[in-house]
Amino acid sequence: MSFRRQLLLLPCLLVLSGCQQVDLTAGANLVSDRADVIYGDDNRKDLSQVSDPFWLERADATVALIKADNITDMGGGRSHIDASSFADSNMLCSSEPFRDQAAAAFCSGFLVAPDTMITAGHCISDQGDCDATRLVFGFSLRNPGAVATNVATSDIYSCASIVHSQSIGDGADFAVIKLTRAVTGHQPLTLRREGALAVGDGLTVIGHPAGLPTKIAGGANVRALMNGFVRANLDTYGGNSGSAVFNSQTGEVEGVLVRGEQDFEYKDGCYISKRCASDACRGEDVTKIAEALPYVDGTAPTGPAPTTTPTPLPSSTPSTTAVFASANAAVAIPDANPAGVLSVIAAADAPRGRRVLVTVDVRHTYRGDLEISVITPGGREILLKEQSFFDGADNVQGTYGLDLTSAQSLAPLSEVNLPGPWMLKVVDRMSADTGTLVGWKLTFQGQI
């Protein structure tokens, strides 16, 4: 224990009510950036901002993919969706639109037949994903003052089976799934069955960017034609994976949104959406609907599914322990600052049922000051270490899930089935002693 802490501790022990934690509001330092992008103007609109029945009808066929554990039947025909704050979970700047809304969806999807939906292949890749996912109509703000997290129970559907799922990193990425019951009250979308897109064709996307209530974003165009997909300048975010992408003129579905540019950039202590000129940056990838049509129509040839692009952590070897990624750039932890410090690992794969271990190396002269948590790509925060005023030892070094005991269960980490940024958050709640986040790593281990 430092001498300075010894001086602070005595009066606090004598008069506990007189000790106050310092509450500063300076922004967090970051080890690396996170990943969404706006091309040209921001074209995203809530349904309450759209009056055209043509697009509202198409939005009515959109579903939010939400974990079953995050939905509670409240009775009376209504259900509640457990959602995180978009602003808080992403450290958004005050200028960001929709920052006060709830984020709950990890992917998007759309209805193509009474009992059939399409989403991205990396959103639902196996039966475990299917069983754990609910497909929810009406997670939207159709009217001003609406509460998106209160939905009709009858608008919540379960996944029965996967007709086909594939996720090829440089090609087509889609999943066709069957539901446990036919959908009522919503009409399937019309899919393009003849002809093909050309560079410059107008596109509109409907889905759940960053997990938010349904958004419609038009004003986009095809920038390039690729193998199994097209590249466009759509205003989309992580939760848009699986969204229907429409021809802006005909309203037919042209494809499935699956990949894209980095989403956010860090600026002055918070995040803002990355902005690019309409013809700049990477662009967003849209799997052509023609790739999925044979599985929708039941005309696909039998045989093995296409091989997915290898990832840093193969999900096909459950007996193998593999370190997925690590962040080793040391950064100082702000003293007595509730914003703390964030370190980000951009993951190209997901645990998908594997055990997740979190190894940390935090150097600090009074570790009881520290609160440590890990945040998943879907925005769920799991507390690893609580603040403990009387723990005066130095440093936090070890692995949560092995030699270090986590304050909250790590089991939810294994349920993550989408790639994206994982964050380690370290907060120093008290003044005087200081420290450094030296590094951390994720390990996905076998099956649990």
Side-chain angles (χ1 to χ4, degrees), residues 26 50 102 116 171 216 281 299 301 322 348 366 401 434 442 446:
V50 177
T116 308
I216 300 177
C281 297
T299 60
Y366 197 95
T434 59
L442 288 171

Side-chain angles (χ1 to χ4, degrees), residues 24 116 177 190 267 314 344 388 448:
L24 302 180
T116 308
I177 61 175
T190 301
K267 180 181 180 181
V344 184
S388 177
I448 60 172

Side-chain angles (χ1 to χ4, degrees), residues 16-360:
L16 285 173
S17 62
C19 291
Q20 301 293 327
Q21 294 186 14
V22 179
D23 185 12
L24 302 180
T25 57
N29 297 311
L30 296 182
V31 172
S32 61
D33 289 335
R34 281 189 293 178
D36 301 328
V37 62
I38 298 299
Y39 295 90
D41 295 331
D42 187 347
N43 294 303
R44 295 171 298 162
K45 295 183 182 298
D46 276 315
L47 299 192
S48 62
Q49 299 172 299
V50 177
S51 58
D52 189 342
F54 181 85
W55 290 112
L56 290 175
E57 180 182 352
R58 282 150 180 78
D60 196 51
T62 297
V63 293
L65 273 61
I66 299 174
K67 286 298 182 182
D69 291 345
N70 293 336
I71 300 176
T72 303
D73 189 337
M74 304 300 291
R78 308 299 295 182
S79 288
H80 173 74
I81 299 172
D82 184 16
S84 60
S85 163
F86 182 39
D88 293 345
S89 61
N90 292 277
M91 288 183 62
L92 297 181
C93 298
S94 60
S95 60
E96 279 300 294
F98 314 117
R99 67 186 310 276
D100 296 328
Q101 294 184 5
F106 66 85
C107 279
S108 305
F110 53 98
L111 187 67
V112 296
D115 66 345
T116 308
M117 289 188 182
I118 290 179
T119 184
H122 67 262
C123 294
I124 296 185
S125 62
D126 55 37
Q127 191 61 39
D129 295 340
C130 178
D131 295 340
T133 301
R134 297 294 178 264
L135 301 108
V136 183
F137 291 97
F139 179 58
S140 62
L141 297 171
R142 185 172 285 271
N143 301 302
V147 179
T149 53
N150 185 329
V151 300
T153 303
S154 60
D155 270 343
I156 301 173
Y157 291 80
S158 298
C159 174
S161 62
I162 300 174
V163 177
H164 182 81
S165 179
Q166 68 179 67
S167 179
I168 301 177
D170 58 351
D173 178 341
F174 68 92
V176 178
I177 61 175
K178 289 290 186 180
L179 306 179
T180 55
R181 73 184 198 275
V183 172
T184 58
H186 304 272
Q187 295 301 312
L189 295 173
T190 301
L191 313 181
R192 178 197 272 267
R193 294 180 175 275
E194 296 180 353
L197 280 168
V199 173
D201 284 353
L203 298 175
T204 296
V205 61
I206 303 179
H208 298 275
L212 292 169
T214 308
K215 302 287 183 287
I216 300 177
N221 301 93
V222 177
R223 294 201 331 192
L225 305 178
M226 317 293 282
N227 181 26
F229 65 97
V230 301
R231 187 157 288 167
N233 52 10
L234 294 155
D235 293 341
T236 54
Y237 290 67
N240 272 120
S241 288
S243 296
V245 177
F246 301 85
N247 185 299
S248 295
Q249 296 300 315
T250 68
E252 292 181 324
V253 176
E254 296 282 6
V256 187
L257 193 286
V258 294
R259 296 178 295 269
E261 174 64 80
Q262 175 176 305
D263 293 340
F264 293 110
E265 292 182 322
Y266 183 70
K267 180 181 180 181
D268 299 330
C270 55
Y271 284 107
I272 59 173
S273 292
K274 183 172 182 177
R275 290 184 175 271
C276 300
S278 293
D279 58 352
C281 297
R282 177 193 183 281
E284 313 297 294
D285 292 351
V286 180
T287 295
K288 296 176 183 177
I289 198 63
E291 299 287 328
L293 279 177
Y295 302 97
V296 175
D297 296 341
T299 60
T302 59
T307 303
T308 58
T309 301
T311 61
L313 183 62
S315 58
S316 58
T317 54
S319 62
T320 300
T321 298
V323 175
F324 178 76
S326 60
N328 297 311
V331 60
I333 303 167
D335 194 29
N337 188 333
V341 62
L342 286 175
S343 177
V344 184
I345 292 175
D349 195 9
R352 303 179 191 276
R354 288 169 289 192
R355 182 185 185 190
V356 179
L357 306 177
V358 185
T359 302
V360 301

